[in-house]
Each structure stands twice: as C-alpha cells, then as structure tokens.
Amino acid sequence: MRSADERPRAQGGDGPGARPLTSAGAGGFVERHGLWDERQHVAAGHVRRVIDELGLDKVRFSFADQHGVLRGKTLTREAVPGALRSGVTAPSSLLLKDTSGRTVFPVFSGGEGLASGRFAGAGDIVLVPDMTTFRVLPWAERTGWILCDLYHPDGTAAAFCSRGLLRERLAALADTGYDLTVGVELEFHVYRPVRRPSADGSVAGSAPVGVGRPGAPGPAPEVEPLSSGSQLLHEEGLDRLDDLVDLLYRGLTGLDLPLRSLELEFGPSQLELTLDARGAAQAADDALSARAAVRQICRRNGYHATFMSRPAVAQTASSGWHLHQSLRSRATGEAVFDPAPGETLSPVGRHYLAGLLEHAPAATVFTTPTVNGYKRYLPMSLAPDRVVWGIDNKGAMVRVVGAQGGGGARLENRSGEPAANPYLYIVSQVVSGMDGMARRLDPGPPTTDPYDAGARGLPGSLGQALDALDADPVFAEALGQDVVSWLTTIKRAEFARYLAHVSDWEQREYFDLV
C-alpha cells in the first residue's frame, strides 16, 4: 500500500516509489501515432493504480522475437510513465538474429534493401506496451510484466513483428466472416542440473555457466532426469513430482493463464500442460507466457526446463505442440466446423483442413522451426511423419475431433514442436486454411494407416522445409515476400551452421574406421 513517507531513499524514506505513479501524460510517441485505442488507455490507468498500490519496483517490457523467445528491458518504477508515453527503444538487429544470437544480415554494409532500409545500421525499434497484457509476476518480487508490439521510429508497424503478423492475418480472416479459436497442448522436459564437486570436495551451489558467443553457443547444461519414463499418465509418477507440479500450478494460474491440466508424459522427465481454448491472438500470448513462466519458475527452484523437441537426454520420447483450431462465424457466433449428421466435418471445415494439408511442407518452417524438431518425425511414435488426416487418429498429422454434443468439431495439428514461435505457428495455419477455403480444396478420405510409406511425407529436415516454403507462393502472397525472405534467410544461416558442425556421431562413426 502507499506509504506516507515520501522522503528520498537516501534520506531514509521510501522515495518516489511511495508516491502515486504519475499519469502517462500526453504528446508522446504512443499518442502522436494513435497506437492505443480506448481499451488500452483504460488499461493503462488500471496498471498505474496497481503499480502504485502494490508498490512494484520494476516492470518488464517484453516482446517475442522471430524464434518465440522473449526479449526486452526491465524498467524501474520511476521510468514506467515515460515508457507508457513513448515506448521503449531496442536495437532493431534483435529481429535479424539466428538462435545463436548472430545477426545474419549485413546491417552495416548493404542492409538498405531489407524492408526498404528500415534495419540499416541496426537502428532502433520501439516497444509499445499492450496494456491489456499487464501481469504481476508471481515468482519475481515486486515486478510487473507487459507484452509489447514493435514499431519503427516513424510510427509504422515493425516489418517483422510476429505478434503484428498474426494480428494482420486474423483481421484478413475476420474480413471473410470468421474468427479462429485455438487450444494449446505443450509438451516439455524438466531435468535436475548436475552439480559437480568443487576443489575442496563440496558440491557447488549451481551448475556451471556454458559461456559462448554469437554463432557458437556454449556447452549445454549437464542434467539428469526426474522420472524414469515409459509410464504414460502414471498417477504415482506424477505424485513424485508434486512439489514441481505445485510450483508450476501456482505460477501459471498466478498469471491468470487458463491452465487445464499438468500431465506426466511418456518420456523420462517429460510433462505436458494444456490451456483452455481462446481466441487465436490470446492463445498465442498464453503459449508464449506459459513457456517463459515454466522456464523461469523451474530455474529459480533448481530445475532446468526445456521446450526443445528432442533433447539428447530424452532417450525415448520427443515433445510436440498439438494445436487445436476451429472457426466461428462472426455474424452468429456459431461453430462452423460442426458437421451435418453422417458427416465428419462441415464443407468449410473440409476446405480449411485441405488447406492445412496442401501447404503442410511449407508450413513446417513455422510449425517446426528448429533443426532438432525434425528428429521428432518418426513412424509409429505418436508424432506424424506423413501429410495425412484421420478421424481421432493420433498418428495422423491432422486429427479431426468430432462434435460431441454439438459445437465441438475441431482440427488438431500434431506436427508442431513446442519451441515454435506461437504467433508464426498460428499464422501458418491461418494462411493455409484460408487458401483451402478460397479455393474450395478437398482433403480426400481420412487415413486408417497414418504411417503409410506411400503417403506424402513431411520434410525430413529444416533445409527441405525451407525449400518447400520457397516453392509455395501462398505464404509470400499472404505475408509479403519480404517476410518470407527474412525468415528463410535467418533459418538457412542457422541450418548452414548445423551442417558445418562436426558432430559426435561423425567422430564415432569415422575417426577410427577410415
């Protein structure tokens, strides 16, 4: 609560943090370019009161980069009013880096051609807070958290803001009369870091930090599993992890995320969280926030969580991201995938499904953006490796879950990896599904053999997926060639580094043989 002692901290008082947070004011970047609607202004007033009444000291201003990783700055309480007025600046090169932190575009020589020169010289972008996303972090003392949209200094939307790209595609879908609802199932692994004895024989307080550099990340942490695996949904197995489960439950629900379940999955140390279905934009924010929450909560409590699809220590089971999706009519609010009696899907649902299948190879750049994610595509593994659909078939790439009691028909895309950028994953589904509806494509009959060797396969590597995206004009038409070139350039640089690396497999296979 607010303190009456407003002397500076140096004089033993509570300082300016004890005074009510001043108004965001007028005339700043946000007002000048009309970036907030009335809802944002109302939310900003609420946030100012919460910061004051709870005595928050810091607020994190964060955005999702191209990899779905949170970047941003932590501002002091005193700096927040200025940030609400004019945003927070950050280097634009953050949008041009691969997963190692290496900038893959020549921004200091010849970068003028990228997005009409907007990234030349690695100048600033502006993080504009979406005040409706404000949360008080349950695990960080006196700290708030706000998701941001990205803008160029002239007030135009940043060319490669993935949150903005999703908003644009959802607006295009709305123009056709539909809204997208999305449900999230995220699998992940949680390990215990291995702590090595120090020189005096005592166990070090924390695992060593693997120092690296852009283009050459340091060694990964050494970890050990928390569970033995092979027992799906084993209640006693989950009970053994109850302390961890409780930490995650309290942290995720403390963020007001719509958590439905925390489950023990098949692999050692593998868990799954599911979130209630929501509007697509909100669901993407939920997935982003849930991943960050899980990793931060685990780290603070002596665990290591990863959404990498197939860690080397996973041994038996990869992690996936199953994305449930359905459309509703904007005019009536009715679910439009629900079938007539005797059918599996409505005509609209079939066209949308056919679009997902038609563009699946190209869409894997968005659904499975890491080198590692393609090592999950294995036959007979509950993960797809073929572009097929089935009726309640968990081996198919798209599983159709029928209406039960009315209003429940949906499509579950099982091809995604949990490390995917949530906004770009959903963008790929909207682009694909809209093309299927526009062209009235037909998905053909459902499969009863999802690992049929004769069926069209999903790409076997990130390189193959990038080739498929280059060959599919639908994404460039929907998103713009600049966006597709930006993403493929980053991912090709990442894939090239992978190909150039001499792996332990090669060393074992050939070093003593030839």
Side-chain angles (χ1 to χ4, degrees), residues 3 50 71 89 108 149 166 173 220 229 263 281 290 295 364 405 451 459 478:
S3 170
V50 169
R71 310 279 179 186
T89 58
F108 295 111
D149 294 305
L166 175 58
L173 178 65
E263 304 168 15
R295 286 181 55 81
T364 51
Y451 298 109

Side-chain angles (χ1 to χ4, degrees), residues 21-32 36 41 44 48 80-82 84-86:
L21 192 67
T22 57
S23 168
F29 182 85
V30 172
E31 182 179 359
R32 188 161 63 249
W36 281 357
H41 284 287
R48 291 195 293 272
V80 169
L84 302 191
R85 202 162 41 240
S86 292

Side-chain angles (χ1 to χ4, degrees), residues 123-147:
D124 282 339
I125 50 173
V126 184
L127 283 61
V128 173
D130 177 350
M131 303 308 297
T132 66
T133 68
F134 176 82
R135 298 290 186 272
V136 176
L137 288 182
W139 59 86
E141 187 176 2
R142 297 163 73 97
T143 301
W145 192 19
I146 302 178
L147 296 180

Side-chain angles (χ1 to χ4, degrees), residues 198-509:
S198 59
D200 62 4
S202 63
V203 177
S206 61
V209 175
V211 177
R213 66 182 188 277
E222 292 186 64
V223 296
E224 56 188 14
L226 303 178
S227 65
S228 58
S230 77
Q231 295 292 341
L232 181 66
L233 300 182
H234 184 217
E235 183 173 310
E236 289 188 18
L238 190 65
D239 184 67
R240 295 184 188 116
L241 303 179
D242 192 56
D243 288 347
L244 170 62
V245 170
D246 192 58
L247 285 169
L248 296 178
Y249 167 79
R250 294 185 184 283
L252 294 169
T253 57
L255 283 180
D256 292 328
L257 292 173
L259 183 68
R260 290 186 65 251
S261 67
L262 287 162
E263 304 168 15
L264 188 69
E265 271 294 330
F266 192 75
S269 270
Q270 190 180 38
L271 299 166
E272 180 182 67
L273 66 85
T274 67
L275 304 175
D276 279 334
R278 309 233 263 184
Q282 182 63 64
D285 285 348
D286 290 346
L288 181 78
S289 301
R291 286 195 318 212
V294 168
R295 286 181 55 81
Q296 292 180 32
I297 291 167
C298 285
R299 182 190 56 77
R300 284 170 172 263
N301 290 277
Y303 301 101
H304 180 88
T306 181
F307 290 84
M308 179 181 179
S309 185
R310 193 171 180 83
V313 286
Q315 299 176 1
T316 58
S318 305
S319 290
W321 176 353
H322 304 156
L323 193 78
H324 294 257
Q325 48 200 299
S326 60
L327 295 182
R328 289 192 174 275
S329 166
R330 289 179 64 83
T332 66
E334 294 179 355
V336 298
F337 283 1
D338 289 350
E343 300 291 333
T344 303
L345 281 171
S346 70
V348 170
R350 288 182 61 83
H351 299 327
Y352 187 97
L353 166 61
L356 299 187
L357 300 175
E358 174 80 4
H359 301 291
T364 51
V365 175
F366 303 88
T367 69
T368 310
T370 75
V371 166
N372 179 260
Y374 293 83
K375 297 177 180 178
R376 172 175 167 263
Y377 292 164
L378 300 171
M380 310 300 174
S381 65
L382 287 175
D385 71 344
R386 304 278 145 183
V387 183
V388 295
W389 72 282
I391 301 171
D392 202 14
N393 190 320
K394 294 183 179 179
M397 190 197 94
V398 180
R399 170 184 172 233
V400 176
V401 184
Q404 298 177 355
R410 63 188 186 276
L411 307 178
E412 178 191 21
N413 190 334
R414 299 175 62 83
S415 70
E417 66 170 320
N421 179 309
Y423 307 101
L424 296 182
Y425 188 167
I426 298 174
V427 159
S428 74
Q429 306 302 279
V430 176
V431 170
S432 300
M434 285 183 66
D435 183 66
M437 292 190 296
R439 294 165 54 199
R440 304 179 68 83
L441 298 179
D442 187 89
T447 186
T448 56
D449 183 6
Y451 298 109
D452 177 7
R456 182 169 58 139
L458 284 164
S461 69
L462 179 58
Q464 291 180 15
L466 289 164
D467 290 342
L469 180 56
D470 282 339
D472 189 334
V474 166
F475 290 93
E477 291 169 2
L479 304 176
Q481 185 59 53
D482 259 6
V483 170
V484 171
S485 297
W486 158 73
L487 188 60
T488 56
T489 298
I490 290 173
K491 286 299 170 183
R492 285 197 187 280
E494 194 175 311
F495 189 59
R497 283 195 300 107
Y498 167 71
L499 293 177
H501 173 69
V502 179
S503 68
D504 60 345
W505 185 94
E506 296 167 87
Q507 192 77 358
R508 292 194 310 269
E509 191 81 4

